[in-house]
Amino acid sequence: MKRLNYKPRSIPWIHCILLITLVISQGILPASSAQALSDLPQNTLHGMVTAAGSAVVQGAKVIAWQGTERSSNTTDINGAYSLSLTGGEWHVTVNPGAPSITSPNWVYADNDQVVVYNGNPDPANPEQTLNFEVEPTNATITGSLIPPAGTPPSPTPFGDGNRAWVRARNAEGQGNTVQVDPATGFFSVNILAGNISLVFTLENPLWAPPLTLSGSEWTVAEGETKPAGTFTLLAKQASITGLVTDEIGHTVPNTPVRAWRLDGSEVFSTNTDGSGNYTLHVIQGVWEVRAQPAPSSPFIAAENPHRVTLPTPVSTGVALLKVVNADVTISGFLVDRNGIPISGLRGRIYPTYQKPDGRWFQFGQGAAIVNSQFTLKLSSAVSTNYRLRASFPDTTGYSAISPVPITITPGETRSGVTFPVAVNNSSISGAFLDHDTGLPRLGIAGSVYAASNSGALKRDRINPLTGLYTMDVATTDLRGHGGTFWWLKAFVDPTTGNMIQRPRQQAVFIPYNNGAGADVTANFVVTAMDATIAGQVRDPYGTPVAGARVSVTEQFTPAGLAFHRWTLTNSNGRFLMRLPAGVYLVRADFRNWIAPVPAGISVASGGSAWVSLQFRETDATITGIVKYQGSPHPAFIRAYSTNGGHVTGTAGADGKYTLHVSSGDTWRVQAVSEDGNTFLKSERREILTTPGINVGLDLDLLESETLPDAVIFTFDSAEDQVLLLANGTQLMIPAGALAVSGAVSLVVRPLHELADDGGAQPVALGYRLLAFDEANLLIDHFNAPITVQLPFTAEQLVNLGITPAQLIPSYWDAATNSWKPVDAFSITLNDDGSGTLNLSLNHFTDYATLSNPPGQLIFLPAISK
């Protein structure tokens, strides 16, 4: 997120020019016109949208939002726009607008920018300039849709009522959406070259995409037009039916019911009728179903989703759903630590309650804090003891101190509940210093991510004009330390040709000082990436591979703080990466081939190295049976080898599995599964493979931990959201981050079926995150970053024999069959050895915490220059 005019020490960003201009209208207006003018916004924001710094972009939609206020305009033939805005902090982004048959020829891949007007009008800056630079597309993917078999002929099979949209995007969620041609079903989408997936959105509620679409990928080279083929849609012949009742068995009419397929390809919704009945028309697969009352409803969802398996295209499933009556209303306001009311704050308050197993659950979705006040609905049928928690945007200048316990009685309405917050009484600031000169490094893009031992999170982007950053933070004396510890992690975009020199993470302590706090300094050193690693990747038969992911990982440094970089091979299978001098492990991944043996490379400052990597044939198999409590059990099978290979497979209901691997390698094999809400995991077993069939590697599943429930949240995109899962995983979503208006549905599914990837193995569970807008269009790239907090325990680390520094937050790239490290994160450490990884995300996919296994560094001959 970029800021303008927020603090003098961290204002303008690259491509953002601040103009201080007072515009005074000449002449005398009629009284009526003068009154009308005074009722309008008095501040002006204008600027340009350009591609690659020069070409103007016409017709781009520039959108500004502040709470529920919206203002938008499109760029003219000169790429210029102008918006009228009231006072306050406005978030601004750019997008192509509503999809049409013609694809945009650009992609905006950055986050929102922020502009602040101190008044209406702002006495100092009523007129400001904010420019956007988009990325030109450099490839195209085409295809056609065909209506389901049996659809009556029509001159416009994809006209009104049957319209269809296609989104083409890469693994980072960057792409474009088009409407298919109503008459022909043809589509053509301009994209960024790379590994591309397609998502179909269909207006006809009885149509569905083909099953083969989920997981399909196309590698599209720069300058290429790739035909994806013809896709025949399916008619929804399967269904899920049921009844929604409250806790005493009364039916609940007009209640939304939502269902999502476990593979993440589909989400559907309907409402119960006047008798509380519902029917969802779906396709075959495994589905989760939940009643999801609207925020204005007197009911709240308070049960786990129901899982329904539909094995055939014409299956019918039944799910009887329950909601609970929100019979208690609690209202209150925010106070400081001395109990004095505080005004003007916004945020989110959310209640949690404890189940007999000791886990804390979030009840409902909480409520917005508006002008420091909140009104919250609870249910005495669920619990009479709750803890209220709160979260605030960075810009409020306050942080929650601790949860507030509250005991309720059935049917009560209570007011005057106070929630204490702490003012940000301290600051952390510093510079990105040049390695050679010791002076602040200017003109680079970078960020600092911070997390405290009290659970607060902060983020600031470096000011490229000064090389400085500043974060206002809070320190308290509530943890027994006489202050607060903050952990900082710095990151520089490697495309700038620079990186942060070790240490990339620092810890600072801010004393409480009787509430006065302190200002502390933490500098980071930036060094140039003046070395290169280049090479070529070939398949097992010697043919160059386009679209393979090549990654480099810095060695002899803590895994989570190591320098990571990746790129995709071009049409000739070649790659080139700039990096600083050091020792690196170079790996390649692509689809289901066995990865090449990793190459250990040492490259000097100013030097270069050449690496040849070749995928390996699968000339051996590993077979066995998975059992749980002595009986065969279905499972997900994952394996990695000492030479960097990694494969996955599945065991069916009979427990049998087969893995296709390479021979002459030691493979470590593990099964993971579930039994209700219990996560099952076997010990890893080793086998040295020989050519042909390697039999008898049986795996026994053991209970590992409790699985959180899959959940779906539906909320107003204009409100801040805090969503808590049962194992402590938390999502913090700023207002407008997923969409600038309308309702958003967010699906969170805990994942046990996580692959190894030769370079790192999963620590525990992962999560599949999917978001959809009101039209069920997939939201795969965000206007502003959201934060996901992934907890870990000291016991998990001890069992794995690792330290927190070896944890690697990562996301899954299906096209290259590998995990990619998340650079934008911070870590919180607790006194008991547990902690939290705090990920800053700009797109959704599968996320997990990984760790490097021992003995992964393997050196192969490489040509250095």
Side-chain angles (χ1 to χ4, degrees), residues 388-389 400-404 419-420 478:
L388 305 185
R389 301 172 182 267
I401 296 177
S402 59
V404 173
F419 192 99
L478 300 178

Side-chain angles (χ1 to χ4, degrees), residues 329-333 373-377 388 406 413-418:
T329 301
I330 301 294
S331 60
F333 52 91
Q373 301 180 47
F374 60 88
T375 298
L376 187 65
K377 294 189 295 186
L388 305 185
I406 184 169
T413 298
R414 189 189 312 179
S415 60
V417 175
T418 59

Side-chain angles (χ1 to χ4, degrees), residues 332-336 339-347 349 369-374 390 392 398 417-421:
F333 52 91
L334 307 182
V335 298
D336 64 19
I340 300 174
I342 299 171
S343 63
L345 296 188
R346 72 177 179 91
I349 193 141
I369 299 171
V370 180
N371 192 24
S372 299
Q373 301 180 47
F374 60 88
F392 305 97
Y398 286 82
V417 175
T418 59
F419 192 99
V421 297

Side-chain angles (χ1 to χ4, degrees), residues 242-245 252-260 267-274 276-280 288-303 319-324 365 712-715 743-745:
L243 184 70
V244 176
T245 61
V252 183
N254 304 317
T255 296
V257 175
R258 303 187 188 277
W260 60 98
V267 60
F268 296 118
S269 62
T270 189
N271 285 354
T272 58
D273 61 20
N277 297 296
Y278 72 90
T279 298
L280 286 160
E288 299 272 355
V289 189
R290 194 185 195 202
Q292 194 76 20
S296 58
S297 169
F299 297 94
I300 289 181
E303 69 166 354
L320 303 178
L321 309 177
K322 290 185 178 180
V323 295
V324 296
Q365 292 175 211
I712 185 167
F713 301 99
T714 300
F715 53 86
V744 167
S745 293

Side-chain angles (χ1 to χ4, degrees), residues 560-572:
L561 302 177
F563 175 80
H564 296 275
R565 194 172 184 193
W566 60 269
T567 189
L568 299 178
T569 55
N570 64 16
S571 57
N572 297 315

